[in-house]
Amino acid sequence: AQCGFPGARPPEPPRTRSCVRAGAGAASAMQSLQRISEAERRYLLDGVAQGMRNDGRGCFDYRRVAFEMDPIPTATGSCRLRAGETDLLVCVKCDIGKPSRQHPNVGQFQVAVDCAASVSVAFSDARSAEEDSRQLSALLESLCAGDGVVDRQALCVQPGLFAWEVYVDILVLTSGGNLLDSISLALCAALMETVLPKVEVLEAMEEGEVVQLRVNDRPEAGTPFPLRRLPLCVTVAQIQQRFLFDVTSEEELCADAMLCVVVDGKSGEVIGLHKLGRGLFDLAALPSMLQRCRAAAAALMQQLERELSLKDHS
């Protein structure tokens, strides 16, 4: 729904001399060094103050999301997601390895983010692009891949001998803002479709004989990936006195503060908060924003479930 009151928009500004606004830490990992002119900035701020955005959406409206499930046949699970100008690919790969001595009864689960060359050229230099990718990977690990989300003990096949090693590679092809939300949604979609093959341990019959594994790779014989929760990120951007969901790249550059709210898609509970950038978020508005974030996550979850249901019936 639209927020604010209707009013006349200022005329489209000319594209003049540009200025740069860059965020800090994980915020810069989602913002390449994009440029926006001062005239464009004033135009965007005037529109948001009247409750209208450049693309015609309301303050809490999301752009259309399109899923493509299993675009990589050789992967255990994969998903391509398009939302606005954002286009990204999530690939889940599984292998059997030996658990560590420190944790002999748990498997591994790691997330890595990389940007395509078409995205990386927008960064100031190659080193900053690599650093931003590392920061974004670490942020996703903490928000969407903790022990409260993934049951790593369920990834163990034989304590001390065999355990699943699950690696999630995320390739950002293009970015049009709100990257963290898009990645978390595609990640949940790929993991919900990931099935671990059934593995049986064949005990050694004679002394000195190597323990072997028997793998049944039929999908109906496997087990779903052990997800305790479905972490959906809903990022709130504060621009002056307004709050926006699903911000574009230009809106990110004009945001005074940004807050990522992680909602469990299964229960609807808020399971994490992370402040992005240096700005100060209005804490008085936090309770109402949390309720809106839960409602937004529920809508995203419904859309995801419909997509998976259509895939199952196709």
Side-chain angles (χ1 to χ4, degrees):
Q2 293 279 354
C3 70
F5 53 87
R9 295 293 301 274
E12 187 74 44
R15 294 182 178 269
T16 58
R17 184 181 58 188
S18 60
C19 59
V20 175
R21 289 191 67 195
S28 64
M30 293 178 292
Q31 296 177 0
S32 55
L33 287 180
Q34 301 179 46
R35 298 175 182 273
I36 181 172
S37 71
E38 186 59 32
E40 288 176 304
R41 174 178 162 78
R42 287 199 303 268
Y43 175 78
L44 188 149
L45 293 178
D46 289 344
V48 170
Q50 299 178 55
M52 293 181 289
R53 300 167 75 171
N54 287 355
D55 54 12
R57 288 181 294 146
C59 290
F60 303 110
D61 293 340
Y62 270 73
R63 289 166 287 187
R64 185 183 301 275
V65 179
F67 296 92
E68 180 184 352
M69 302 305 302
D70 297 328
I72 306 176
T74 57
T76 311
S78 60
C79 173
R80 185 172 185 177
L81 181 143
R82 299 178 179 89
E85 297 179 1
T86 297
D87 188 358
L88 59 92
L89 190 64
V90 176
C91 175
V92 182
K93 298 178 295 183
C94 300
D95 198 3
I96 290 288
K98 186 175 182 179
S100 65
R101 293 183 178 179
Q102 295 80 7
H103 305 284
N105 62 336
V106 299
Q108 293 188 33
F109 180 76
Q110 296 180 0
V111 178
V113 182
D114 196 9
C115 294
S118 57
V119 178
S120 298
V121 294
F123 290 84
S124 57
D125 54 54
R127 287 178 300 175
S128 68
E130 294 176 359
E131 178 62 26
D132 286 342
S133 293
R134 284 194 294 268
Q135 289 179 357
L136 187 52
S137 299
L139 179 58
L140 282 168
E141 285 269 5
S142 63
L143 294 178
C144 303
D147 291 336
V149 173
V150 177
D151 185 359
R152 285 174 168 79
Q153 288 189 356
L155 295 176
C156 182
V157 177
Q158 181 82 4
L161 292 178
F162 303 107
W164 284 108
E165 297 176 350
V166 182
Y167 301 97
V168 180
D169 294 320
I170 301 170
L171 176 61
V172 180
L173 302 172
T174 59
S175 177
N178 201 39
L179 188 57
L180 192 57
D181 294 20
S182 298
I183 289 178
S184 71
L185 183 58
L187 175 64
C188 287
L191 291 178
M192 288 175 69
E193 285 294 285
T194 297
V195 176
L196 299 176
K198 182 179 179 181
V199 177
E200 298 180 58
V201 179
L202 303 180
E203 299 293 341
M205 301 299 294
E206 300 178 1
E207 185 177 353
E209 185 178 357
V210 178
V211 177
Q212 297 182 347
L213 296 177
R214 176 186 295 164
V215 179
N216 186 341
D217 57 0
R218 291 181 302 147
E220 60 271 17
T223 57
F225 184 81
L227 278 173
R228 289 185 169 127
R229 294 189 173 102
L230 284 173
L232 295 174
C233 296
V234 180
T235 301
V236 187
Q238 181 176 349
I239 299 181
Q240 297 178 342
Q241 302 303 314
R242 297 282 183 176
F243 298 91
L244 307 180
F245 285 173
D246 190 21
V247 290
T248 64
S249 299
E250 294 77 16
E251 289 169 339
E252 283 181 347
L253 295 173
C254 297
D256 299 314
M258 296 177 65
L259 180 69
C260 176
V261 181
V262 186
V263 181
D264 178 15
K266 293 182 178 181
S267 66
E269 297 178 355
V270 176
I271 58 176
L273 294 172
H274 186 85
K275 183 176 168 298
L276 303 170
R278 298 190 181 94
L280 298 178
F281 194 85
D282 185 3
L283 292 181
L286 184 58
S288 62
M289 286 300 104
L290 292 180
Q291 290 298 324
R292 287 190 176 272
C293 289
R294 294 176 64 184
L300 292 172
M301 191 64 197
Q302 289 179 358
Q303 182 178 359
L304 177 55
E305 289 176 341
R306 284 196 302 267
E307 184 68 28
L308 297 179
S309 177
L310 291 174
K311 174 184 175 295
D312 292 338
H313 289 87
S314 61

